[in-house]
């Protein structure tokens, strides 16, 4: 175009971004932005099963050509496994009884539709099931179905080799588990010395710093932004600058 800007659109997992770069003929980039949220279009459209507000097949796969759907996950996982998913990925308290309710429900008929989630919990909550709890459950299932936290870990590890010195990595997280992974990654990569604390002196040379944090605390949206876009409320932005010599 008139500004000389070229845009490439590729469908791939976060962990495969290095393969995409190779295919396009790039070895490293000046900057990388990871937005870990689900698009509002997918939530509002509803037919992919991401939203509890729309009756649709209980799928939640980002790529419907592969992987296990949310329905299959609920129909085939043990109660303890479901409880772990809800607790770890959705910050759901008291996940055990909810998981047991899912198992009792599927004994009568398999999970198939998004509405089956609320239906399975009626014996516990009746008509008082909160939207907040449903949102947390759907979030947990989506993260589990797409293995999002592992995808994030793999992607972050690869950024060290594919961001140029002085380049920046920015990550927008919406879930405490995601944000914790990003925070821990930057803390680890910021260390200059990686020798064991038991070593009497440094033997690694003290030149192992890969990233330097631009912001020590996560940046959060201001009230004006939240007012315009309520879904931004949980967003947390962390930025790191690549250290070392040019790649």
């Amino acid at each position: 175009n008139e500004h000389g800007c070229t845009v490439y659109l590729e469908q791939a997992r976060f962990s495969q971004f290095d393969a995409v770069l190779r295919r396009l003929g790039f070895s490293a980039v000046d900057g990388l932005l990871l937005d870990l949220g689900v698009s509002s279009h997918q939530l509002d459209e509803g037919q992919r099963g991401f939203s509890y507000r729309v009756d649709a097949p209980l799928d939640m796969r980002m790529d419907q050509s592969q992987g296990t759907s949310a329905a299959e996950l609920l129909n085939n996982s043990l109660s303890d496994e479901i409880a772990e998913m809800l607790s770890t990925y959705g910050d759901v308290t008291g996940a055990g009884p909810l998981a047991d309710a899912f198992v009792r429900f599927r004994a009568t008929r398999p999970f198939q539709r998004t509405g089956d989630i609320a239906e399975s919990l009626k014996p516990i909550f009746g008509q008082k099931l909160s939207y907040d709890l449903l949102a947390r459950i759907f979030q947990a299932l989506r993260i589990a179905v797409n293995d999002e936290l592992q995808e994030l870990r793999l992607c972050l590890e690869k950024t060290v080799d594919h961001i140029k010195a002085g380049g920046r990595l920015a990550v927008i997280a919406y879930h405490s588990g995601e944000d914790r992974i990003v925070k821990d990654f930057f803390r680890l990569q910021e260390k200059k010395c990686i020798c064991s604390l038991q070593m009497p002196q440094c033997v690694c040379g003290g030149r192992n710093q890969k990233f330097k944090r631009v912001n020590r605390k996560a940046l959060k949206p201001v009230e004006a932004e939240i007012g315009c876009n309520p879904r931004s409320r949980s967003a947390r932005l962390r930025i790191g600058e690549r250290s070392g010599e040019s790649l």
Side-chain angles (χ1 to χ4, degrees), residues 172-244:
I172 305 174
Y174 298 84
H175 172 254
S176 61
E178 296 170 339
D179 186 52
R180 191 178 307 114
I181 289 171
V182 177
K183 179 174 65 176
D184 290 345
F185 170 79
F186 279 134
R187 280 180 173 172
L188 178 62
Q189 299 301 328
E190 197 172 42
K191 290 183 177 181
K192 295 181 179 180
C193 175
I194 57 174
C195 295
S196 169
L197 294 177
Q198 281 69 46
M199 296 291 293
Q201 62 181 20
C202 174
V203 295
C204 72
R207 295 187 297 273
N208 286 281
Q209 184 184 70
K210 300 299 189 297
F211 280 97
K212 181 178 180 180
R213 283 175 286 181
V214 173
N215 54 315
R216 289 284 171 176
K217 292 186 177 181
L219 300 178
K220 303 177 182 180
V222 297
E223 288 301 321
E225 181 178 357
I226 294 174
C228 296
N229 178 20
R231 286 175 177 165
S232 71
R233 182 179 300 278
S234 61
R236 301 291 182 267
L237 171 62
R238 295 183 186 273
I239 306 170
E241 183 173 298
R242 184 69 170 87
S243 306

Side-chain angles (χ1 to χ4, degrees), residues 48-59:
R48 299 284 294 279
F50 290 107
S51 175
Y52 58 85
R53 298 179 184 275
V54 181
D55 180 56
L58 187 57
D59 196 311

Side-chain angles (χ1 to χ4, degrees), residues 26-230:
F26 299 103
S27 60
V29 295
D30 295 310
L32 188 63
L33 169 64
L34 304 180
D35 185 338
L36 307 181
V38 179
S39 73
S40 291
H41 173 73
Q42 286 179 319
L43 293 175
D44 295 336
E45 183 68 18
Q47 296 309 306
R48 299 284 294 279
F50 290 107
S51 175
Y52 58 85
R53 298 179 184 275
V54 181
D55 180 56
L58 187 57
D59 196 311
M60 298 195 194
R61 288 173 295 173
M62 297 294 184
D63 183 350
Q64 292 182 304
S65 68
Q66 57 183 316
T68 301
S69 71
E72 293 172 319
L73 196 65
L74 281 179
N75 288 328
N76 298 310
S77 299
L78 299 175
S79 179
D80 288 347
E81 294 172 334
I82 297 174
E84 180 67 19
M85 280 187 278
L86 297 178
S87 176
T88 303
Y89 302 146
D91 296 325
V92 175
T93 57
L98 304 185
D100 291 340
F102 291 151
V103 172
R104 287 193 295 270
F105 177 86
R106 76 188 189 196
T108 61
R109 59 185 174 90
F111 283 92
Q112 294 180 313
R113 312 284 297 182
T114 53
D116 291 339
I117 299 291
E119 187 68 24
S120 69
L121 297 177
K122 277 187 177 180
I124 298 178
F125 298 99
Q127 301 302 318
K128 296 182 179 180
L129 178 60
S130 72
Y131 290 140
D132 177 68
L133 178 57
L134 275 176
R136 290 175 180 274
I137 292 172
F138 272 69
Q139 172 186 279
L141 290 173
R142 189 204 77 226
I143 291 175
V145 164
N146 296 288
D147 200 14
E148 294 179 24
L149 300 191
Q150 180 63 6
E151 282 293 311
L152 174 59
R153 292 187 185 96
L154 293 173
C155 180
L156 291 175
E157 290 172 5
K158 292 182 177 182
T159 62
V160 174
D161 297 321
H162 295 285
I163 295 181
K164 299 175 184 178
R168 291 190 171 186
L169 168 63
V171 187
I172 305 174
Y174 298 84
H175 172 254
S176 61
E178 296 170 339
D179 186 52
R180 191 178 307 114
I181 289 171
V182 177
K183 179 174 65 176
D184 290 345
F185 170 79
F186 279 134
R187 280 180 173 172
L188 178 62
Q189 299 301 328
E190 197 172 42
K191 290 183 177 181
K192 295 181 179 180
C193 175
I194 57 174
C195 295
S196 169
L197 294 177
Q198 281 69 46
M199 296 291 293
Q201 62 181 20
C202 174
V203 295
C204 72
R207 295 187 297 273
N208 286 281
Q209 184 184 70
K210 300 299 189 297
F211 280 97
K212 181 178 180 180
R213 283 175 286 181
V214 173
N215 54 315
R216 289 284 171 176
K217 292 186 177 181
L219 300 178
K220 303 177 182 180
V222 297
E223 288 301 321
E225 181 178 357
I226 294 174
C228 296
N229 178 20

